[in-house]
Amino acid sequence: MSRLPLALLLLASAAPAASNAPPGYAQAADYLERERQPERYSPLHLLDGRDSTAWCATGATPAPVTIGFKDVVTIDEVRVYTGDGTDKASYKAHARAKKLTLTSVDSAKSLKVEDKRGLQVVPISPSLRGNRFTLEVAERFPGSGEAAPVCVTDLIFYSGGKALNGTWLAPRLRYDSRLAPLLGTWFSGLDGAPDRFLSFYVDGTYRFAHEPLEGGEPSAVTGTYALSGSRLTLEVPKRGKVTARLQKAAPEGATSAGATLELDGAVAEEWGRAFRSQP
């Protein structure tokens, strides 16, 4: 029986296991009917694997969608259902994404698809790695009118042949008007160069990460949160509870520029008291 060299065995044992964590949120500063019917074209629809829902956005340059995972994942394939696949009439009336850009912290990939209904496989090589990705529409197939919104029905992430989201995730992705302004990643530290990140996910969990810009070891804390009325409470393992107040600076919907999250309690002295919705 052949044996692997000791160096390779040590390398294999030291390598972190691949994470199959599902996405925990999808949010955008604006999208179609965000103020009137925010649940209809919510960015969360991108992740539910159902052709009965779609994400749609307006404008020549639609607001990007940020998709967050609890853990660092490696994405080597996505499956894209472009357009509004809810019915044939909507598919033709609305514009369909032709080219999308998926960006991680340090790299970006173009996702090109044909103008047809159904999921299309788009390999990503080299793969993208991270726990937060930005999706932008770069080109589109035109709809019936010049100002027709552009839509995408589904975006399924794959890692090592395993789907990270799909119909099984749909029950968690139902739009909740109370949670919508909270979901996503909040930032603290220097403007444009934050070093503290507080993320809230659809399953009732959060993750706080401190990533020092110069020196020092990164650290992370995970736990659960509860929203009762306007009161947000975080359970910090072995430390107790932290309360937070959301200061909205825009109409109800997804997290918007200018919104802030203010923490109270002893832990807030370590984490930072004020978090903002944009880096």
Side-chain angles (χ1 to χ4, degrees):
M1 180 184 297
S2 62
R3 295 175 179 268
L4 285 173
L6 178 60
L8 290 180
L9 286 172
L10 292 173
L11 180 62
S13 63
S19 173
N20 289 321
Y25 68 78
Q27 53 109 273
D30 196 18
Y31 56 89
L32 183 63
E33 296 189 17
R34 182 176 75 93
E35 295 184 26
R36 291 189 304 164
Q37 292 182 291
E39 73 284 352
R40 185 171 183 182
Y41 297 109
S42 165
L44 289 170
H45 294 329
L46 286 168
L47 307 176
D48 64 14
R50 301 184 301 176
D51 58 11
S52 59
T53 63
W55 161 75
C56 297
T58 57
T61 306
V65 177
T66 302
I67 300 166
F69 291 76
K70 283 192 196 181
D71 301 319
V72 173
V73 296
T74 300
I75 306 299
D76 50 34
E77 177 186 303
V78 294
R79 299 188 184 182
V80 182
Y81 189 150
T82 190
D84 183 348
T86 56
D87 56 56
K88 290 183 179 179
S90 297
Y91 188 85
K92 291 182 178 180
H94 294 162
R96 286 83 59 197
K98 178 180 181 181
K99 179 181 176 183
L100 297 152
T101 302
L102 187 65
T103 306
S104 64
V105 173
D106 55 6
S107 58
K109 300 294 179 184
S110 293
L111 314 177
K112 296 181 180 180
V113 294
E114 300 176 44
D115 191 8
K116 63 181 184 181
R117 298 182 70 182
L119 289 170
Q120 301 180 53
V121 177
V122 183
I124 297 181
S125 180
S127 58
L128 287 175
R129 183 176 172 83
N131 62 359
R132 194 167 65 250
F133 301 89
T134 302
L135 183 73
E136 299 176 270
V137 176
E139 298 178 19
R140 68 184 74 191
F141 298 105
S144 58
E146 186 175 337
V150 63
C151 303
V152 177
T153 297
D154 285 310
L155 180 71
I156 310 298
F157 293 90
Y158 275 77
S159 180
K162 180 179 176 60
L164 303 185
N165 59 292
T167 54
W168 56 271
L169 195 59
R172 296 183 184 176
L173 300 173
R174 293 180 182 141
Y175 181 85
D176 185 326
S177 61
R178 298 182 313 126
L179 288 178
L182 174 69
L183 294 176
T185 296
W186 298 77
F187 307 88
S188 183
L190 297 175
D191 286 344
D195 63 350
R196 293 176 175 85
F197 308 85
L198 182 57
S199 301
F200 295 92
Y201 308 106
V202 294
D203 65 354
T205 63
Y206 73 86
R207 182 177 188 271
F208 167 78
H210 182 204
E211 300 174 5
L213 299 178
E214 295 182 6
E217 290 294 324
S219 60
V221 176
T222 59
T224 60
Y225 69 85
L227 187 61
S228 177
S230 60
R231 183 181 178 86
L232 174 66
T233 304
L234 286 64
E235 293 281 354
V236 182
K238 300 181 180 179
R239 298 292 301 276
K241 298 180 179 181
V242 174
T243 59
R245 300 185 308 277
L246 175 62
Q247 305 293 330
K248 291 182 289 185
E252 189 138 347
T255 305
S256 55
T260 60
L261 193 67
E262 297 181 2
L263 305 185
D264 292 323
V267 174
E269 296 293 340
E270 301 173 21
W271 291 10
R273 289 195 173 278
F275 287 77
R276 56 188 182 272
S277 57
Q278 297 294 329

